[in-house]
Structures are given as structure tokens and as C-alpha cells.
Amino acid sequence: SIGIPAANLTVECDGGGNGMQLTDWLETQGGAGATDICGGVTWTNDFPGALSDDCGATGSVTVTFFATDDCNNTSETTATFTIVDTTAPTIETPGQELTVECDGVGNLVNLNAWLDSFGGATASDVCSPEFTWTNDYSGLSDDCGDTGTATVTFTVSDGCGNTSQTTSTFTIVDTTPPSIGIPAADLTVECDGGGNGIELFDWLDAQGGAGATDICGGVNWSHDFTALSDDCGATGSATVTFTATDDCGNTSQTTAEFTIIDTTAPEITGEAQPLTVECDGAGNQVNLDAWLQSFAGALASDVCGGVTWSNNFSDLSDDCGDTGSATVTFTATDDCGNTSETTATFTIIDT
């Protein structure tokens, strides 16, 4: 008489066939119990020696237990031993963040290697020595230049479909300043008397001729020009720093000087005129002084500034009576020291 039928047993996979639990279940007839009024009871079973081959190291077997009395009468009870896997893989090493310097083309080599290695994550599973990795990468964010980030979830699945996840971030940064391929060049121009505005602003707008590139994006230029120094006449200079800024705010600089010079002498627009006067017996000082102070009627102009006159008069020659003459050079000097000359003669005669 089967007083207690055999009971099904479901156990969690241990990766090794759960041999001890299977043996204990078989040896205890799956928990079945039987009695016989006429003698003892002997148990046997039809366990085939192996379980079904399910996912991972799981499986099941249905076993019939036979209770036989001393006179070979038998009764049966049937139950199933099942190994299941409900345990997710263990993430032993979580996915690691990776930050790389921008290469201007999406850093695909770095990205694909990181994705293919599951961000460096590792996992184990007691029931499935082999498992599958997937990820939810869809694209990088659109940050400055060609930089961006992606937060990716890596999913590991064991042979029975249990999953675990780990999340990490791939980041492209730009910490490299633009490369100044051509430095700014000094420019020296001849004074035009008006600040040489066209030449100055053309030079500034062209970054002093400088050129820059950036592997990760575009380049914008700025400069720190404020004003020219106040030198002689309308000359002056300015040392300007040109700054190349990439899309991510990294900067490189190059410095050059814009200079206005004056190497042009004043223009004599009216030559000095000779003057002959009748002797007054006293050196004709009034006539002489007026002639000298008027630069003998000479005129001069300078595009870059004012003109100052000087002369080299020293004395009259000693001619007959109180007569005499002096050949005088009048010098026109501009604010920067450039000079032009004109010559005339003052003569006292006695007629």
C-alpha cells in the first residue's frame, strides 16, 4: 500500500547536475512511503541515469518508484526531479567609463572597441558557462565640435534567458587647442596722416596673416587691439595678440606688431626766395630778421604731421662799406625728424 506518494522536486541549478540532491531524492523514493501487511517492502526505480538536456546545466527526469513486497507484489508511484535556473548572471566587473580625446571623426575605433568589450565588464554564471552580451547604444550626443557622450547599458544573458545589466559612459572630449600653422606677421606701413585705418583693419581682420586648424571642429579668431601708441606725428604702433578659439573653447595665441612709420621728408611747396636790399649803414637788421623769420618765403607741408623751420645763418660777408651777403639754407623738419632744404641769398648793396 503506497501510503505516501512520491513528490516532485525542483531545485536551483548548481552547474554540476545537482548530483547530491538527485541522489538523495532517488534514495528516499522521492519521499514515498509504503507498507505491506504480509511482510517487508523493497524499493526500486527506473531512473535512466541522466536528465534531459535543457538550457545551461538544467534538465528534468520523471521517475517511477516501485514498492515490492516479499512475495513480489508491486505498487508504483511516479514523480519528477527538475533542475531550473532562475538566477541571473553575476556582474563581476561593472562596465567602465571611457574618456577619449577627440579625433574629429567620431573616435570610431575607440568606441567600437569599448562596445565590443562590453565596456570592460565581466560576468559569470553558475549554470551557464557561456552567455551573450548585448547593448543599447544608439548614438553619441552632439556636443561642442565633434565631441559627445553615450551612456550605454550592457546586458548579459545566460543560457536560460536570465539577465543582468551594467551601465557606463563613453565620452569624447576636446582638450587640445587649435594648431597655429601660420603665426601672425608684423606689418610696417608708411604714415598716411590719418591713422592708416584701411591697412590696420585689413591686418586685424586677417589675423595678421595667421592661420590655424583644429582637428575637432572650427576655429574663431579674436584680438585684443585697443589703440595705437602716440608716437611722432601721426605714427604709432600696437602689439596685438590674436586668439584662435575652437568650438569647445580651447585657445591658442599668436602675437604681432602693427607699426606706422614716417620716413618721408616734408615737401617743399615754395622755394626760399633771394632778397637784395639797399644798404642802410647799420647792417639792414630789420630786413634780415624779417627774411629769416619768414624762411625767405619758403613753404613746406608734411602728410604725417607738422613742420618746423630752422636755418644756418651765421653772418654776412664783409663787402664794400656796410654791404655784404649770406647764402642761407632753410631746413624744414617734420615731427619725426625727416628734413628737406631750400637755399636763398640775402644781399645788401650800395647803389
Side-chain angles (χ1 to χ4, degrees):
S1 173
I2 302 290
I4 304 172
N8 296 332
L9 179 61
T10 299
V11 296
E12 186 69 20
C13 178
D14 67 3
N18 296 79
M20 186 176 295
Q21 293 163 304
L22 173 61
T23 299
D24 288 346
W25 184 75
L26 291 173
E27 289 178 350
T28 59
Q29 301 80 237
T35 58
D36 190 80
I37 196 169
C38 191
V41 176
T42 301
W43 286 95
T44 58
N45 64 65
D46 66 353
F47 176 66
L51 287 82
S52 62
D53 184 13
D54 296 343
C55 63
T58 66
S60 65
V61 62
T62 298
V63 178
T64 299
F65 296 95
F66 302 95
T68 305
D69 65 17
D70 294 337
C71 294
N72 284 328
N73 301 298
T74 62
S75 295
E76 299 175 0
T77 181
T78 301
T80 301
F81 180 86
T82 306
I83 302 173
V84 296
D85 179 13
T86 62
T87 303
T90 299
I91 301 290
E92 295 182 337
T93 304
Q96 304 297 304
E97 294 186 355
L98 179 61
T99 299
V100 297
E101 186 68 20
C102 179
D103 67 3
V105 290
N107 293 81
L108 293 179
V109 172
N110 306 109
L111 173 61
N112 290 332
W114 184 75
L115 291 173
D116 290 345
S117 67
F118 332 123
T122 60
S124 63
D125 190 83
V126 72
C127 193
S128 298
E130 296 181 1
F131 32 78
T132 303
W133 286 94
T134 58
N135 66 69
D136 65 353
Y137 173 77
S138 59
L140 292 165
S141 62
D142 184 12
D143 297 344
C144 61
D146 292 319
T147 66
T149 61
T151 297
V152 178
T153 297
F154 296 95
T155 300
V156 57
S157 303
D158 66 20
C160 295
N162 302 297
T163 61
S164 294
Q165 294 180 327
T166 179
T167 300
S168 56
T169 301
F170 180 86
T171 305
I172 302 174
V173 297
D174 179 12
T175 62
T176 303
S179 173
I180 304 287
I182 303 172
D186 295 340
L187 179 62
T188 298
V189 297
E190 186 68 20
C191 179
D192 67 3
N196 295 79
I198 293 176
E199 294 163 304
L200 172 61
F201 290 117
D202 284 348
W203 183 76
L204 291 173
D205 290 343
Q207 301 86 235
T213 58
D214 189 80
I215 195 170
C216 195
V219 176
N220 293 313
W221 285 95
S222 59
H223 59 75
D224 63 356
F225 173 76
T226 54
L228 293 164
S229 62
D230 184 12
D231 297 344
C232 61
T235 65
S237 64
T239 298
V240 179
T241 297
F242 297 95
T243 300
T245 304
D246 67 21
D247 293 335
C248 293
N250 302 299
T251 61
S252 295
Q253 294 180 326
T254 178
T255 299
E257 186 174 28
F258 181 86
T259 305
I260 301 173
I261 60 173
D262 180 12
T263 62
T264 303
E267 179 184 2
I268 301 293
T269 57
E271 296 290 341
Q273 300 299 308
L275 179 61
T276 299
V277 295
E278 185 68 21
C279 177
D280 67 2
N284 294 82
Q285 198 64 44
V286 172
N287 306 110
L288 175 61
D289 289 344
W291 185 76
L292 292 173
Q293 290 170 8
S294 68
F295 332 124
L299 298 174
S301 63
D302 190 80
V303 74
C304 194
V307 175
T308 302
W309 285 97
S310 60
N311 63 71
N312 68 345
F313 173 77
S314 58
D315 202 355
L316 291 166
S317 62
D318 184 13
D319 294 347
C320 61
D322 290 324
T323 66
S325 66
T327 298
V328 178
T329 297
F330 296 92
T331 301
T333 304
D334 66 20
D335 293 335
C336 293
N338 302 297
T339 60
S340 294
E341 296 177 346
T342 180
T343 299
T345 300
F346 181 85
T347 304
I348 302 172
I349 61 174
D350 178 11
T351 63

